[in-house]
Amino acid sequence: MNEYDSDKITDVLRAKGDVVLTERAEEADIILFNTCSIREKAEEKVFSDLGRVRPLKLAKPDLIIGVGGCVASQEGMTIFRRAPYVDVIFGPQTLHRLPELIAARRASGRVQMDISFPEIEKFDSLPTPALSKTEGAQTNSGAAFVSIMEGCSKFCTFCVVPYTRGDEISRPLDDVLRDVRGLVAQGVGEITLLGQNVNAYAGEHDDGETVDLAYLIRTIAALDGVQRIRYMTSHPREMTPRLIELYLDTPKLANHLHLPVQSGSDRVLANMQRGYTALEYKSVIRKVRALRPDISITSDFIVGFPGETENDFEATMKLIEDVQFDVSFSFLYSPRPGTPAAEMADEVSYETKMARLKRLKARIDELENSYSEKMVGTVQRVMVENISKKDARELAGRTDNNRIVNFVGPASLVGRFVEVAITSVSMHTLRGERVT
Ligand code: SAH
Ligand code: SF4
């Protein structure tokens, strides 16, 4: 989502004037930080990064330094108090107002801040998605993100998102379809529908009815030129029968479901207010697998939630065995200011939590590897995303089950679907050979 927002920030500035992107801070007239506050580590990084650009501001007083994203939303003027050389503070829902904020800063000489939630206005003010990102970069990757909803109204007790991005709000169906058609016309074949909780999508149809994510996916799948559809992130509580059914009758839907579970302990899940039990989660997975037996199921885990006992942790490890997750993300619980979990009693030591996290990661890694090894010898349909960073003769592409594969091929294949035979796997990378 942050990558998507960063692209939007670029689009908004480009639409308003002659803007050239640079990766070199010393050359810049405007330096923008798009921030994340999901965990404390991400948040602290912002202040150390700001400290690093401070000397540039001293040397060039006209330089504009802006902080956007969820840290801006959460901290507001505290950012200015900690870093008084910051000029502009904007939230995830006000990034479209950035040109005005910068102009107001230049005219007034005073710090400007707008971290409000003006709801759908942001989407209405964004230019149509364009593919070119950084100057000189591969312009067409063939895969693009389309945001379909913003915010979250779930209020899981550990999470800061509902406070920083506001309530769930969906874009009207026609607006999403316009973006998708525009991207397809530019050669995009793979669309990832984005949102904090995409399966809470409730978009307005032009006949006044409200449509769900299943309807949206079906409509997009019916468009010529769309070859593969992904969505993220979804919430287990809203994996509706209508959505699950798509895995039977919509072959364009990728063979991968990222469904964050967080914990395998019903007690912890209840304290997190996730709204499901481990059994209910497994039942969703069983239904999906009944329709797509080889689908890759990936997840997010939080280890060390306040009061997590040894038994709770073992329940998570058991869930991992029961579901046999593919590539997953695991995080040490990080207390976020203002969230209910930050007030919960927590007696478990840091060492114990780290040991649990290590054990969980090791098991997830083993599972990932065994899935990768099973892919060796198969032929995969791969969307070529870009030229490999390590070797210019090589391409990097994504399989249907969301794995990156490196293989030798010409740059002209970037943005196209090709068949690749998987030949080997090492660490987290698959290698292959193009099948012609
Ligand atoms: N909406 C998605 C997840 C969004 S946040 C969902 O509900 O599943 C992405 C991931 O960050 C979460 O799945 C969770 O694993 C992790 N996360 C969120 N808040 C966290 C916190 N306070 N500490 C540690 N990890 C956290
Ligand atoms: Fe955060 Fe996801 Fe829960 Fe929303 S559903 S509060 S984004 S973890």
Side-chain angles (χ1 to χ4, degrees), residues 315-336:
T316 302
M317 293 304 290
K318 177 168 183 306
L319 182 76
I320 292 172
E321 291 317 310
D322 290 350
V323 176
Q324 300 278 302
F325 290 99
D326 200 350
V327 192
S328 295
F329 303 97
S330 47
F331 311 101
L332 195 65
Y333 166 72
S334 167
R336 306 314 296 131

Side-chain angles (χ1 to χ4, degrees), residues 283-314:
S283 144
V284 170
I285 302 300
R286 197 175 315 112
K287 286 178 195 152
V288 173
R289 281 194 170 137
L291 306 179
R292 289 267 188 107
D294 60 344
I295 193 168
S296 157
I297 305 285
T298 64
S299 200
D300 292 348
F301 298 91
I302 294 181
V303 172
F305 185 79
E308 181 192 70
T309 63
E310 206 54 45
N311 279 346
D312 292 326
F313 178 68
E314 289 304 334

